[in-house]
Amino acid sequence: MKKLLASTCLTFGLLGGASFASAAECGSITIASMNWQSAEVLSNLDKFILNEGYGCSADITVGDTVPTITSMAEKGQPDIAPEAWIDLLPDVVKKGTEEGRIVQVGSPLPDGGVQGWWIPKYVADAHPDIKTIGDALKHPELFPDPEDAKKGAIVNGPQGWGGTVVTSQLYKAFDAEKAGFTLVDTGSAAGLDGSIAKAYERKEGWVGYYWAPTALLGKYQMVKLEAGVPEDAAEWKRCITVADCPDPKPAAWPVDHVVTLVAKPFSEKVGPEVMDYLKKRSWSNDTVNKLMAWMTDNQATGEDGAKHFLEENKDIWTKWVSPEAAKKIEAAL
């Protein structure tokens, strides 16, 4: 119907011509979708906005952090990695940037990827004096070990996770055992999630490792404990991230830098409006937590989550796009 109208109306014909020009300028795009929920929904959001708002022909390719970033840095493909956790591959990103193969165009998560030790908000509200790891360690009675109520428990992630290694080392660094705490191995990601859900539903004390953004933190309000000591990159590398290092020293958990990576050839050929969108497009961890909680509760795909976000958060995403693109996106929903 639109094509028929365009063929019989000069005004619509001009608009149609502009649309085709935009599509030609944007062209085919490959967007990397990493294998976790926030990256999945963001890649689908970019696909919908670029296709419907800017006339692109974008497709998603599924990958993981290391192969995707390495491929972009060495070969310039895929075109966009919407949620790249670059601290995992600092040397690769540095080399790819210096050699002109990739460009960082902003951060989708300006809060950063946040890891650390958390407590339920109801515990934090009831005990406003507990703000740091040291504060929590003064109160083992508030975080009882399910196997021994006389001791406190620090809940760890499953074996094989970097966060599990770090938590084990910080347990030693902060002398948690002397403070009356045991370190609990949850055995799996499901076990870790289940321990939080169980504590929350019973309004019991809980302290342990987790990270954001995640669906679980969209469902259960948790407060991250401050380390009470500064970051120490050298100590982090020397001992805290090394499982068999015997003498870790206390240090704050650094915030992971999350950026949008774009292949340099793509950045040079695509129109400025597309690059402007990628630079502006960002959301808070709280926003993503709540979106992922909705996706989990509704067994929604990344595509479902992207459309739900666009339908429910016009006040956020319209600031990322041009007015013309906004009208097209709304019409496509």
Side-chain angles (χ1 to χ4, degrees):
M1 184 66 180
K2 288 182 179 178
K3 289 183 179 178
L4 177 62
L5 288 172
S7 66
T8 57
C9 176
L10 177 60
T11 301
F12 281 4
L14 291 172
L15 290 173
S19 176
F20 287 132
S22 175
E25 186 177 17
C26 183
S28 298
I29 302 173
T30 52
I31 302 174
S33 177
M34 309 301 189
N35 61 353
W36 59 87
Q37 201 175 34
S38 60
E40 179 193 1
V41 69
L42 182 58
S43 61
N44 277 275
L45 183 64
D46 282 349
K47 177 183 176 181
F48 192 93
I49 287 177
L50 292 175
N51 285 353
E52 303 299 340
Y54 295 97
C56 303
S57 178
D59 285 311
I60 289 174
T61 178
V62 178
D64 205 347
T65 301
V66 174
T68 296
I69 294 179
T70 301
S71 177
M72 291 184 73
E74 294 178 354
K75 303 174 184 178
Q77 280 291 326
D79 295 308
I80 305 170
E83 187 181 306
W85 293 56
I86 59 173
D87 292 342
L88 296 170
L89 292 169
D91 295 337
V92 173
V93 173
K94 183 173 183 290
K95 183 178 179 182
T97 303
E98 290 176 347
E99 293 180 353
R101 294 193 181 93
I102 52 177
V103 180
Q104 298 178 34
V105 295
S107 174
L109 296 171
D111 296 338
V114 181
Q115 301 183 74
W117 292 6
W118 306 68
I119 60 175
K121 187 175 184 297
Y122 55 80
V123 174
D125 289 344
H127 302 276
D129 57 310
I130 299 179
K131 299 184 182 300
T132 69
I133 290 175
D135 294 336
L137 293 178
K138 295 174 184 176
H139 297 282
E141 76 282 359
L142 296 178
F143 311 99
D145 183 342
E147 302 297 327
D148 185 353
K150 294 179 180 179
K151 293 186 176 182
I154 294 169
V155 183
N156 208 351
Q159 297 303 311
W161 286 12
T164 301
V165 171
V166 170
T167 291
S168 299
Q169 293 297 81
L170 291 180
Y171 174 82
K172 291 189 290 186
F174 282 95
D175 288 327
E177 185 174 7
K178 290 182 181 179
F181 282 79
T182 57
L183 187 62
V184 177
D185 183 352
T186 50
S188 67
L192 176 61
D193 288 1
S195 72
I196 294 176
K198 182 179 178 180
Y200 223 96
E201 287 160 8
R202 296 180 178 184
K203 290 295 183 283
E204 296 174 343
W206 188 98
V207 60
Y209 169 75
Y210 217 73
W211 73 99
T214 49
L216 195 80
L217 295 193
K219 186 172 184 178
Y220 302 112
Q221 286 188 292
M222 304 288 284
V223 176
K224 181 176 174 289
L225 295 172
E226 298 301 322
V229 293
E231 290 185 20
D232 187 338
E235 177 62 16
W236 204 259
K237 183 177 181 179
R238 180 193 75 86
C239 195
I240 294 176
T241 57
V242 180
D244 58 357
C245 182
D247 60 340
K249 306 296 187 295
W253 209 304
V255 173
D256 287 304
H257 296 94
V258 184
V259 305
T260 294
L261 285 182
V262 171
K264 187 68 177 291
F266 170 79
S267 71
E268 293 174 338
K269 76 173 183 179
V270 77
E273 281 196 336
V274 170
M275 291 300 295
D276 188 55
Y277 158 69
L278 292 173
K279 290 174 183 176
K280 290 180 178 178
R281 187 263 290 117
S282 67
W283 45 15
S284 69
N285 283 354
D286 183 58
T287 297
V288 184
N289 288 341
K290 290 175 181 175
L291 175 59
M292 290 192 292
W294 177 88
M295 290 171 64
T296 299
D297 288 344
N298 291 276
Q299 298 183 322
T301 65
E303 184 177 358
D304 297 331
K307 289 181 179 178
H308 177 77
F309 171 79
L310 290 169
E311 290 168 350
E312 300 295 324
N313 297 275
K314 183 180 176 182
D315 59 320
I316 296 177
W317 66 262
T318 50
K319 296 175 183 177
W320 305 340
V321 302
S322 66
E324 296 77 15
K327 292 178 182 177
K328 294 176 185 178
I329 292 164
E330 281 195 271
L333 289 172

